[in-house]
Amino acid sequence: MTTRYAEKSFEIRFCAALSAAIMPFNRNPQWFGLTQAQERKKGIDAVLGIGGTLILFQFKAQSGSRIKIERDQLTKLAAVEKRYPDSTFYVFPEAEDIHAAARTNCVFKEAWCCKPSALDKEVGKKVKSAAFTLDATASELSQARPIKSVAIEKTCKRFGCFCPGSAHQIIHDLRRSSGSLIRFMVGSWDGRDLTDSSFAERGMGIPIGSDLQSASLARYGDRGISPITSAEMFEDLLGEGAGQNLGPSLQALFIAE
């Protein structure tokens, strides 16, 4: 199995694992992949007509006890974070490789995260990539040569619980294809997630949609943040070459307003 095929397989299995998750928010979240240009375009077109908040997650699984951070990818994600603070995150599963990470019921449960800006400070501007070791005991990513460390935190602590539950769930495909990675997901019906605030209400994410409510615009406008109102604006946000296929395992979580 080639690395490219393995990464794509992990991405598909990851989406399947998320489809079984209970989301702790009072909005209906939608996950879709950003790595494939066609899939990304369909997802962005769908959410633009709905309006809400978009969070980007770059998943990086371990390989040979190392996590490889590519400089080109990091630069693009750090640029997104600079424009939209608290919108973009790296997520690092504790599993020993992408196959083990794909087998878990909830990728977020045993995973760590950090912002791109935290890594951007430690990865050289002229290097193509840097390798880090995940140290769960110290809550950090560490590099031996040169000695570097980046603080990380448990994903569930940062974003809330994503673990599967026994409550009722409804999943509707947005497209006819049974293999679609674009899905709407309704949270639990026992009232637990009604007490949790959404990402938008916590001032997180990228406002996206051509007809957002005035309350949302005011919330982001106070921070000098403009909403994404077209697919072209979103492609420009991801930087040069974003109109083509991107690196593996970049996912978007959309929460409808």
Side-chain angles (χ1 to χ4, degrees):
M1 179 181 292
T2 65
T3 301
R4 171 65 65 178
Y5 180 83
E7 290 172 336
K8 181 60 179 174
S9 176
F10 168 68
E11 182 181 336
I12 294 174
R13 292 179 186 175
F14 164 73
C15 288
L18 287 175
S19 295
I22 288 290
M23 299 296 183
F25 312 110
N26 56 1
R27 302 289 188 271
N28 296 338
Q30 172 192 359
W31 282 96
F32 61 96
L34 290 171
T35 62
Q36 301 297 314
Q38 183 178 12
E39 185 75 25
R40 181 171 66 253
K41 181 65 164 58
K42 289 181 180 294
I44 295 301
D45 285 345
V47 302
L48 280 170
I50 301 170
T53 303
L54 198 67
I55 313 288
L56 307 187
F57 293 97
Q58 178 64 60
F59 289 82
K60 302 295 292 185
Q62 298 188 67
S63 178
S65 299
R66 294 289 186 273
I67 294 173
K68 184 179 180 181
I69 304 298
E70 295 82 5
R71 165 41 72 182
D72 179 64
Q73 183 183 73
L74 174 58
T75 298
K76 290 179 179 179
L77 296 178
V80 175
E81 181 196 344
K82 183 177 181 179
R83 183 172 172 183
Y84 295 96
D86 292 323
S87 69
T88 311
F89 301 86
Y90 275 91
V91 176
F92 312 102
E94 283 189 16
E96 62 184 11
D97 55 40
I98 56 177
H99 306 292
R103 288 194 296 268
T104 183
N105 289 329
C106 179
V107 175
F108 273 26
K109 184 177 181 180
E110 298 299 333
W112 298 77
C113 67
C114 73
K115 294 182 179 181
S117 57
L119 281 164
D120 192 47
K121 296 175 182 177
E122 304 299 339
V123 176
K125 304 298 182 182
K126 296 182 179 181
V127 302
K128 290 185 177 181
S129 64
F132 289 84
T133 300
L134 195 160
D135 188 339
T137 303
S139 300
E140 67 178 23
L141 297 180
S142 61
Q143 181 177 265
R145 296 181 181 178
I147 298 177
K148 300 282 183 69
S149 65
V150 178
I152 54 178
E153 61 181 324
K154 271 300 188 70
T155 309
C156 290
K157 179 181 178 182
R158 185 69 174 81
F159 301 105
C161 180
F162 279 70
C163 298
S166 59
H168 293 86
Q169 301 172 70
I170 300 178
I171 300 177
H172 293 293
D173 280 352
L174 288 180
R175 293 186 287 151
R176 294 181 179 180
S177 171
S178 60
S180 171
L181 299 184
I182 305 178
R183 304 178 186 277
F184 274 119
M185 305 168 68
V186 176
S188 65
W189 285 4
D190 61 5
R192 288 177 300 158
D193 50 356
L194 297 180
T195 60
D196 292 308
S197 61
S198 70
F199 283 149
E201 290 167 344
R202 285 187 272 161
M204 299 177 66
I206 302 170
I208 186 168
S210 55
D211 191 25
L212 291 175
Q213 295 180 11
S214 58
S216 293
L217 294 178
R219 178 171 56 241
Y220 287 103
D222 290 342
R223 301 158 61 196
I225 295 177
S226 301
I228 296 293
T229 57
S230 69
E232 290 72 24
M233 288 179 65
F234 185 78
E235 294 296 299
D236 290 342
L237 178 66
L238 293 179
E240 183 179 355
Q244 305 172 5
N245 292 345
L246 303 177
S249 299
L250 178 60
Q251 305 288 328
L253 171 64
F254 170 72
I255 302 173
E257 188 172 77

